[in-house]
PDB file of all heavy atoms in Angstrom:
ATOM      1  N   TRP A 114     -18.882  57.724  30.237  1.00 94.00           N
ATOM      2  CA  TRP A 114     -17.562  58.370  30.148  1.00 94.00           C
ATOM      3  C   TRP A 114     -16.851  58.398  31.497  1.00 94.00           C
ATOM      4  O   TRP A 114     -15.652  58.145  31.579  1.00 94.00           O
ATOM      5  CB  TRP A 114     -17.712  59.805  29.617  1.00 94.00           C
ATOM      6  CG  TRP A 114     -18.109  59.898  28.173  1.00 94.00           C
ATOM      7  CD1 TRP A 114     -18.323  58.869  27.310  1.00 94.00           C
ATOM      8  CD2 TRP A 114     -18.344  61.095  27.445  1.00 94.00           C
ATOM      9  NE1 TRP A 114     -18.692  59.342  26.073  1.00 94.00           N
ATOM     10  CE2 TRP A 114     -18.709  60.713  26.117  1.00 94.00           C
ATOM     11  CE3 TRP A 114     -18.301  62.450  27.749  1.00 94.00           C
ATOM     12  CZ2 TRP A 114     -19.015  61.636  25.123  1.00 94.00           C
ATOM     13  CZ3 TRP A 114     -18.604  63.384  26.766  1.00 94.00           C
ATOM     14  CH2 TRP A 114     -18.947  62.980  25.465  1.00 94.00           C
ATOM     15  N   GLU A 115     -17.596  58.734  32.548  1.00 93.00           N
ATOM     16  CA  GLU A 115     -17.003  58.875  33.887  1.00 93.00           C
ATOM     17  C   GLU A 115     -16.326  57.580  34.332  1.00 93.00           C
ATOM     18  O   GLU A 115     -15.209  57.595  34.853  1.00 93.00           O
ATOM     19  CB  GLU A 115     -18.110  59.280  34.870  1.00 93.00           C
ATOM     20  CG  GLU A 115     -17.610  59.559  36.286  1.00 93.00           C
ATOM     21  CD  GLU A 115     -16.701  60.790  36.369  1.00 93.00           C
ATOM     22  OE1 GLU A 115     -16.908  61.752  35.591  1.00 93.00           O
ATOM     23  OE2 GLU A 115     -15.772  60.759  37.185  1.00 93.00           O
ATOM     24  N   LYS A 116     -16.998  56.481  34.066  1.00 93.00           N
ATOM     25  CA  LYS A 116     -16.489  55.167  34.463  1.00 93.00           C
ATOM     26  C   LYS A 116     -15.171  54.827  33.755  1.00 93.00           C
ATOM     27  O   LYS A 116     -14.337  54.082  34.269  1.00 93.00           O
ATOM     28  CB  LYS A 116     -17.553  54.120  34.123  1.00 93.00           C
ATOM     29  CG  LYS A 116     -17.347  52.757  34.733  1.00 93.00           C
ATOM     30  CD  LYS A 116     -18.516  51.860  34.360  1.00 93.00           C
ATOM     31  CE  LYS A 116     -18.235  50.410  34.700  1.00 93.00           C
ATOM     32  NZ  LYS A 116     -19.302  49.527  34.192  1.00 93.00           N
ATOM     33  N   HIS A 117     -14.968  55.370  32.548  1.00 93.00           N
ATOM     34  CA  HIS A 117     -13.772  55.080  31.750  1.00 93.00           C
ATOM     35  C   HIS A 117     -12.809  56.279  31.701  1.00 93.00           C
ATOM     36  O   HIS A 117     -11.956  56.350  30.816  1.00 93.00           O
ATOM     37  CB  HIS A 117     -14.187  54.711  30.317  1.00 93.00           C
ATOM     38  CG  HIS A 117     -15.032  53.484  30.217  1.00 93.00           C
ATOM     39  ND1 HIS A 117     -14.536  52.245  29.850  1.00 93.00           N
ATOM     40  CD2 HIS A 117     -16.359  53.288  30.455  1.00 93.00           C
ATOM     41  CE1 HIS A 117     -15.519  51.354  29.845  1.00 93.00           C
ATOM     42  NE2 HIS A 117     -16.636  51.958  30.215  1.00 93.00           N
ATOM     43  N   SER A 118     -12.959  57.205  32.646  1.00 91.00           N
ATOM     44  CA  SER A 118     -12.214  58.477  32.578  1.00 91.00           C
ATOM     45  C   SER A 118     -10.698  58.303  32.605  1.00 91.00           C
ATOM     46  O   SER A 118      -9.963  59.117  32.032  1.00 91.00           O
ATOM     47  CB  SER A 118     -12.652  59.409  33.717  1.00 91.00           C
ATOM     48  OG  SER A 118     -12.431  58.774  34.962  1.00 91.00           O
ATOM     49  N   ASP A 119     -10.202  57.259  33.270  1.00 93.00           N
ATOM     50  CA  ASP A 119      -8.741  57.057  33.335  1.00 93.00           C
ATOM     51  C   ASP A 119      -8.233  56.109  32.247  1.00 93.00           C
ATOM     52  O   ASP A 119      -7.087  55.656  32.292  1.00 93.00           O
ATOM     53  CB  ASP A 119      -8.334  56.548  34.716  1.00 93.00           C
ATOM     54  CG  ASP A 119      -9.044  55.250  35.103  1.00 93.00           C
ATOM     55  OD1 ASP A 119     -10.075  54.940  34.456  1.00 93.00           O
ATOM     56  OD2 ASP A 119      -8.574  54.560  36.027  1.00 93.00           O
ATOM     57  N   HIS A 120      -9.076  55.786  31.263  1.00 93.00           N
ATOM     58  CA  HIS A 120      -8.692  54.906  30.151  1.00 93.00           C
ATOM     59  C   HIS A 120      -8.306  55.723  28.927  1.00 93.00           C
ATOM     60  O   HIS A 120      -8.689  56.879  28.781  1.00 93.00           O
ATOM     61  CB  HIS A 120      -9.852  53.969  29.770  1.00 93.00           C
ATOM     62  CG  HIS A 120     -10.184  52.966  30.825  1.00 93.00           C
ATOM     63  ND1 HIS A 120     -11.205  52.044  30.692  1.00 93.00           N
ATOM     64  CD2 HIS A 120      -9.625  52.717  32.048  1.00 93.00           C
ATOM     65  CE1 HIS A 120     -11.264  51.302  31.775  1.00 93.00           C
ATOM     66  NE2 HIS A 120     -10.320  51.698  32.609  1.00 93.00           N
ATOM     67  N   GLN A 121      -7.564  55.085  28.032  1.00 92.00           N
ATOM     68  CA  GLN A 121      -7.262  55.685  26.733  1.00 92.00           C
ATOM     69  C   GLN A 121      -8.477  55.497  25.825  1.00 92.00           C
ATOM     70  O   GLN A 121      -9.028  54.402  25.773  1.00 92.00           O
ATOM     71  CB  GLN A 121      -6.055  54.978  26.089  1.00 92.00           C
ATOM     72  CG  GLN A 121      -4.752  55.191  26.812  1.00 92.00           C
ATOM     73  CD  GLN A 121      -4.133  56.542  26.521  1.00 92.00           C
ATOM     74  OE1 GLN A 121      -4.212  57.033  25.403  1.00 92.00           O
ATOM     75  NE2 GLN A 121      -3.539  57.151  27.534  1.00 92.00           N
ATOM     76  N   PHE A 122      -8.902  56.566  25.138  1.00 90.00           N
ATOM     77  CA  PHE A 122     -10.014  56.379  24.209  1.00 90.00           C
ATOM     78  C   PHE A 122      -9.831  57.219  22.954  1.00 90.00           C
ATOM     79  O   PHE A 122      -9.064  58.182  22.931  1.00 90.00           O
ATOM     80  CB  PHE A 122     -11.370  56.647  24.883  1.00 90.00           C
ATOM     81  CG  PHE A 122     -11.463  57.964  25.610  1.00 90.00           C
ATOM     82  CD1 PHE A 122     -11.687  59.156  24.926  1.00 90.00           C
ATOM     83  CD2 PHE A 122     -11.345  58.007  26.992  1.00 90.00           C
ATOM     84  CE1 PHE A 122     -11.780  60.352  25.596  1.00 90.00           C
ATOM     85  CE2 PHE A 122     -11.424  59.213  27.679  1.00 90.00           C
ATOM     86  CZ  PHE A 122     -11.651  60.393  26.985  1.00 90.00           C
ATOM     87  N   LEU A 123     -10.538  56.821  21.907  1.00 93.00           N
ATOM     88  CA  LEU A 123     -10.532  57.556  20.636  1.00 93.00           C
ATOM     89  C   LEU A 123     -11.780  58.419  20.583  1.00 93.00           C
ATOM     90  O   LEU A 123     -12.864  57.984  20.995  1.00 93.00           O
ATOM     91  CB  LEU A 123     -10.541  56.590  19.450  1.00 93.00           C
ATOM     92  CG  LEU A 123      -9.318  55.672  19.284  1.00 93.00           C
ATOM     93  CD1 LEU A 123      -9.576  54.657  18.178  1.00 93.00           C
ATOM     94  CD2 LEU A 123      -8.064  56.484  18.960  1.00 93.00           C
ATOM     95  N   CYS A 124     -11.643  59.625  20.060  1.00 94.00           N
ATOM     96  CA  CYS A 124     -12.791  60.533  19.937  1.00 94.00           C
ATOM     97  C   CYS A 124     -13.180  60.695  18.465  1.00 94.00           C
ATOM     98  O   CYS A 124     -12.387  60.416  17.568  1.00 94.00           O
ATOM     99  CB  CYS A 124     -12.443  61.903  20.511  1.00 94.00           C
ATOM    100  SG  CYS A 124     -12.087  61.858  22.273  1.00 94.00           S
ATOM    101  N   GLY A 125     -14.401  61.160  18.251  1.00 94.00           N
ATOM    102  CA  GLY A 125     -14.853  61.481  16.896  1.00 94.00           C
ATOM    103  C   GLY A 125     -14.919  60.275  15.976  1.00 94.00           C
ATOM    104  O   GLY A 125     -14.449  60.328  14.839  1.00 94.00           O
ATOM    105  N   ILE A 126     -15.494  59.179  16.476  1.00 95.00           N
ATOM    106  CA  ILE A 126     -15.580  57.950  15.669  1.00 95.00           C
ATOM    107  C   ILE A 126     -16.528  58.178  14.482  1.00 95.00           C
ATOM    108  O   ILE A 126     -17.707  58.483  14.671  1.00 95.00           O
ATOM    109  CB  ILE A 126     -16.082  56.759  16.520  1.00 95.00           C
ATOM    110  CG1 ILE A 126     -15.163  56.534  17.738  1.00 95.00           C
ATOM    111  CG2 ILE A 126     -16.172  55.493  15.686  1.00 95.00           C
ATOM    112  CD1 ILE A 126     -13.729  56.201  17.404  1.00 95.00           C
ATOM    113  N   THR A 127     -15.996  58.029  13.283  1.00 94.00           N
ATOM    114  CA  THR A 127     -16.766  58.309  12.068  1.00 94.00           C
ATOM    115  C   THR A 127     -17.584  57.085  11.638  1.00 94.00           C
ATOM    116  O   THR A 127     -17.345  55.965  12.095  1.00 94.00           O
ATOM    117  CB  THR A 127     -15.835  58.694  10.904  1.00 94.00           C
ATOM    118  OG1 THR A 127     -14.998  57.560  10.598  1.00 94.00           O
ATOM    119  CG2 THR A 127     -14.970  59.887  11.263  1.00 94.00           C
ATOM    120  N   THR A 128     -18.523  57.317  10.716  1.00 92.00           N
ATOM    121  CA  THR A 128     -19.316  56.218  10.160  1.00 92.00           C
ATOM    122  C   THR A 128     -18.412  55.234   9.430  1.00 92.00           C
ATOM    123  O   THR A 128     -18.616  54.019   9.504  1.00 92.00           O
ATOM    124  CB  THR A 128     -20.386  56.774   9.192  1.00 92.00           C
ATOM    125  OG1 THR A 128     -21.182  57.725   9.910  1.00 92.00           O
ATOM    126  CG2 THR A 128     -21.285  55.673   8.658  1.00 92.00           C
ATOM    127  N   ALA A 129     -17.388  55.763   8.747  1.00 92.00           N
ATOM    128  CA  ALA A 129     -16.442  54.887   8.023  1.00 92.00           C
ATOM    129  C   ALA A 129     -15.723  53.953   8.989  1.00 92.00           C
ATOM    130  O   ALA A 129     -15.516  52.774   8.691  1.00 92.00           O
ATOM    131  CB  ALA A 129     -15.430  55.732   7.257  1.00 92.00           C
ATOM    132  N   GLN A 130     -15.361  54.450  10.180  1.00 93.00           N
ATOM    133  CA  GLN A 130     -14.698  53.608  11.184  1.00 93.00           C
ATOM    134  C   GLN A 130     -15.648  52.544  11.716  1.00 93.00           C
ATOM    135  O   GLN A 130     -15.247  51.398  11.963  1.00 93.00           O
ATOM    136  CB  GLN A 130     -14.169  54.469  12.334  1.00 93.00           C
ATOM    137  CG  GLN A 130     -12.911  55.258  11.985  1.00 93.00           C
ATOM    138  CD  GLN A 130     -12.501  56.181  13.113  1.00 93.00           C
ATOM    139  OE1 GLN A 130     -13.225  57.103  13.478  1.00 93.00           O
ATOM    140  NE2 GLN A 130     -11.332  55.924  13.681  1.00 93.00           N
ATOM    141  N   LEU A 131     -16.907  52.913  11.886  1.00 94.00           N
ATOM    142  CA  LEU A 131     -17.903  51.949  12.371  1.00 94.00           C
ATOM    143  C   LEU A 131     -18.159  50.859  11.348  1.00 94.00           C
ATOM    144  O   LEU A 131     -18.515  49.733  11.709  1.00 94.00           O
ATOM    145  CB  LEU A 131     -19.218  52.668  12.694  1.00 94.00           C
ATOM    146  CG  LEU A 131     -19.191  53.645  13.879  1.00 94.00           C
ATOM    147  CD1 LEU A 131     -20.494  54.407  13.972  1.00 94.00           C
ATOM    148  CD2 LEU A 131     -18.920  52.906  15.188  1.00 94.00           C
ATOM    149  N   LYS A 132     -17.963  51.179  10.066  1.00 93.00           N
ATOM    150  CA  LYS A 132     -18.159  50.194   8.997  1.00 93.00           C
ATOM    151  C   LYS A 132     -16.928  49.311   8.812  1.00 93.00           C
ATOM    152  O   LYS A 132     -16.953  48.335   8.075  1.00 93.00           O
ATOM    153  CB  LYS A 132     -18.474  50.892   7.661  1.00 93.00           C
ATOM    154  CG  LYS A 132     -19.778  51.677   7.650  1.00 93.00           C
ATOM    155  CD  LYS A 132     -20.988  50.782   7.682  1.00 93.00           C
ATOM    156  CE  LYS A 132     -22.290  51.576   7.639  1.00 93.00           C
ATOM    157  NZ  LYS A 132     -23.455  50.721   7.951  1.00 93.00           N
ATOM    158  N   SER A 133     -15.815  49.674   9.485  1.00 92.00           N
ATOM    159  CA  SER A 133     -14.575  48.878   9.393  1.00 92.00           C
ATOM    160  C   SER A 133     -14.075  48.517  10.790  1.00 92.00           C
ATOM    161  O   SER A 133     -12.990  48.926  11.214  1.00 92.00           O
ATOM    162  CB  SER A 133     -13.487  49.672   8.645  1.00 92.00           C
ATOM    163  OG  SER A 133     -13.931  50.070   7.387  1.00 92.00           O
ATOM    164  N   PRO A 134     -14.876  47.749  11.545  1.00 93.00           N
ATOM    165  CA  PRO A 134     -14.494  47.452  12.939  1.00 93.00           C
ATOM    166  C   PRO A 134     -13.171  46.712  13.078  1.00 93.00           C
ATOM    167  O   PRO A 134     -12.492  46.857  14.086  1.00 93.00           O
ATOM    168  CB  PRO A 134     -15.661  46.599  13.457  1.00 93.00           C
ATOM    169  CG  PRO A 134     -16.391  46.123  12.245  1.00 93.00           C
ATOM    170  CD  PRO A 134     -16.175  47.157  11.191  1.00 93.00           C
ATOM    171  N   SER A 135     -12.769  45.928  12.065  1.00 90.00           N
ATOM    172  CA  SER A 135     -11.503  45.193  12.187  1.00 90.00           C
ATOM    173  C   SER A 135     -10.309  46.140  12.247  1.00 90.00           C
ATOM    174  O   SER A 135      -9.233  45.752  12.693  1.00 90.00           O
ATOM    175  CB  SER A 135     -11.337  44.203  11.025  1.00 90.00           C
ATOM    176  OG  SER A 135     -11.083  44.884   9.817  1.00 90.00           O
ATOM    177  N   GLN A 136     -10.504  47.375  11.790  1.00 88.00           N
ATOM    178  CA  GLN A 136      -9.417  48.360  11.866  1.00 88.00           C
ATOM    179  C   GLN A 136      -9.512  49.196  13.139  1.00 88.00           C
ATOM    180  O   GLN A 136      -8.538  49.811  13.562  1.00 88.00           O
ATOM    181  CB  GLN A 136      -9.444  49.248  10.623  1.00 88.00           C
ATOM    182  CG  GLN A 136      -9.136  48.460   9.359  1.00 88.00           C
ATOM    183  CD  GLN A 136      -9.190  49.303   8.102  1.00 88.00           C
ATOM    184  OE1 GLN A 136      -9.015  50.507   8.149  1.00 88.00           O
ATOM    185  NE2 GLN A 136      -9.423  48.661   6.964  1.00 88.00           N
TER     186      GLN A 136
END
Side-chain angles (χ1 to χ4, degrees):
W114 290 359
E115 184 66 33
K116 193 177 168 187
H117 298 260
S118 58
D119 57 343
H120 293 179
Q121 293 282 323
F122 51 80
L123 296 172
C124 297
I126 303 299
T127 64
T128 303
Q130 285 175 297
L131 293 173
K132 296 290 181 192
S133 304
S135 71
Q136 295 178 25

